[in-house]
Amino acid sequence: MFEIIDGGVTSAKGFKAAGIHAGLKKAKKDMAMIVSAVDAVTAGVYTTNKVKAAPVIWDQGITKSGKAKAIVVNSGNANACTGEKGLLDAEETAAFAASLLGTEKGKVYVSSTGVIGVPLDMSKIKSGVEKLVPILSEDGSESAAEAICTTDTFRKEASVTLSFGEKKVTIGGMAKGSGMIHPNMATMLAFITTDAVISKETLQKMLGNTVEDTFNMISVDGDTSTNDSCIVLANGLAGNDEILFGTKEYEEFEEAFRYVLGTLAKLITRDGEGAGRFIEMNVVNALSKKDAKILARAVISSSLVKAAFFGSDANWGRILCAMGYSGADFDPSLVDLSFSSAKGTIETVKGGEPLPFSEEKAKEILLEKEITVTADCHQGSGKATAWGCDLTYEYVKINGDYRS
């Protein structure tokens, strides 16, 4: 069993971080750095968008090499769709940070988030790196988490610890994401650190599997970014026996790892741009896990479903409709649907047919900030959970004047 603790990317041994205002944004913090005391094993998963930002292209090479020491992140500018200059700027950022940290540029990740199509101001980036290095601290997690935010309204961190014999292993993480969030990895920026001893291959396998059930199961608006990345550093300073795939230790570590990623994923959804309600969609007893995931993701990705939740409208027809066009294999005539919140539960469909229910009670349930929808397919043992939010006027306002 793992223990939930306060903290983020500096919770694990040997990690320091910092966040500052470098001038890329008008006032808020806009640059962060995470550094490991020793070279770390690394894994990563990136956007499936064919338009990939320069930092993603640079970072994919580092993940392939399997070793890293630092991550430099800026907000306010995505360094995406910036051509050859963008690629050179990403490399130059890594090289400059490496020179100050005493490492190789090929061990420095570079990540960016913000407006697309605007070249980086490299004088501000370099100045920011120079300011970050001297203030790196084991207490720097919060400032780093703040510095990677764009339209986020709060920082997103999670941390846990667990024991293997006499060795304590810690996993910490931070993420940013509020808009351009959709289930098609990676959906945001996330940085995970751990002091566990684990191989590159095992870590990459664990990350890929875990992402499928966490970051790939959230949606705010149906858009995936050019910069989506999830990067993990494991420096081995906990001194535990190597975590091997298929062992009890692997299962325990994966459970803790999954908690950190799942917590960050849900925090991103709760902070969806303009969102007023957090929606959990549970699909149970589907023909397979694959079908359950497709069904759950279709519902929380539907603009009509999101709009209904904004209006606290128990419009179950939109949910069945989304399930119907999802492409999953299921029998609509067997489906039960229900809504629940802190105000209670109401069943709306039984065996594919509508049930009489109180619209007043339904409204009371759906006016809550956190709502759960359950679809029981009565066909198998497959189950999945996806997370989303409502679609509000505020979302349009935020994205209508984002660049200004």
Side-chain angles (χ1 to χ4, degrees), residues 20 36 124-125 164 192 210 215 233 257 273 276 286 354 356 369 380:
I20 60 162
S36 173
K124 291 180 180 178
I125 292 290
F164 295 127
I192 313 298
T210 306
F215 293 130
L233 300 180
F257 190 78
E273 288 177 342
K369 296 297 183 184

Side-chain angles (χ1 to χ4, degrees), residues 81-355:
C81 302
T82 47
E84 185 65 23
K85 184 182 186 310
L87 293 171
L88 292 173
D89 287 346
E91 181 177 2
E92 185 179 353
T93 302
F96 186 70
S99 69
L100 298 182
L101 294 170
T103 189
E104 307 162 33
K105 66 180 181 181
K107 293 180 179 179
V108 179
Y109 280 109
V110 176
S111 192
S112 300
T113 180
V115 177
I116 294 172
V118 179
L120 283 176
D121 185 332
M122 286 304 293
S123 63
K124 291 180 180 178
I125 292 290
K126 286 186 172 183
S127 175
V129 171
E130 286 181 324
K131 292 175 183 175
L132 283 164
V133 172
I135 62 170
L136 288 166
S137 165
E138 294 176 357
D139 298 319
S141 179
E142 288 188 9
S143 64
E146 290 170 4
I148 67 174
C149 294
T150 49
T151 56
D152 305 58
T153 63
F154 57 83
R155 68 177 187 272
K156 299 165 180 69
E157 297 180 279
S159 188
V160 300
T161 186
L162 67 163
S163 296
F164 295 127
E166 296 181 357
K167 304 296 184 182
K168 185 171 76 171
V169 171
T170 303
I171 307 167
M174 69 181 191
K176 65 81 51 182
S178 186
M180 294 187 81
I181 303 297
H182 191 58
N184 205 1
M185 188 55 212
T187 70
M188 72 301 118
L189 299 184
F191 307 103
I192 313 298
T193 59
T194 180
D195 46 23
V197 177
I198 189 170
S199 72
K200 170 188 180 295
E201 293 75 19
T202 303
L203 186 63
Q204 186 67 51
K205 181 187 289 287
M206 183 180 295
L207 176 62
N209 291 340
T210 306
V211 156
E212 280 297 315
D213 294 330
T214 56
F215 293 130
N216 270 6
M217 297 301 290
I218 63 176
S219 183
V220 169
D221 51 17
D223 281 299
T224 56
S225 168
T226 54
N227 295 59
D228 304 334
S229 305
C230 181
I231 295 168
V232 186
L233 300 180
N235 65 18
L237 291 180
N240 57 290
D241 292 338
E242 182 179 339
I243 296 170
L244 301 175
F245 180 74
T247 62
K248 178 184 177 184
E249 289 75 18
Y250 178 92
E251 293 177 356
E252 291 176 353
F253 185 78
E254 185 182 41
E255 182 184 9
F257 190 78
R258 188 178 296 271
Y259 172 83
V260 172
L261 270 65
T263 298
L264 294 174
K266 286 183 274 189
L267 287 172
I268 287 170
T269 313
R270 291 179 192 279
D271 196 25
E273 288 177 342
R277 290 178 178 83
F278 173 77
I279 305 158
E280 180 173 286
M281 179 66 201
N282 293 316
V283 175
V284 298
N285 300 319
L287 282 168
S288 67
K289 181 178 179 180
K290 179 181 178 181
D291 287 312
K293 290 175 70 173
I294 293 171
L295 290 166
R297 297 195 327 181
V299 173
I300 55 97
S301 300
S302 166
S303 294
L304 285 176
V305 171
K306 292 173 179 291
F309 278 111
F310 172 63
S312 303
D313 179 9
N315 194 332
W316 56 264
R318 292 182 178 179
I319 293 173
L320 271 183
C321 180
M323 292 172 67
Y325 65 61
S326 70
D329 186 6
F330 80 107
D331 184 347
S333 70
L334 299 177
V335 173
D336 299 343
L337 277 179
S338 65
F339 298 87
S340 62
S341 73
K343 293 295 185 180
T345 299
I346 194 163
E347 296 181 338
T348 58
V349 176
K350 186 76 173 177
E353 297 186 3
L355 291 172

Side-chain angles (χ1 to χ4, degrees), residues 26 35 60 119 121 256:
K26 291 179 181 179
V35 177
Q60 286 176 320
D121 185 332

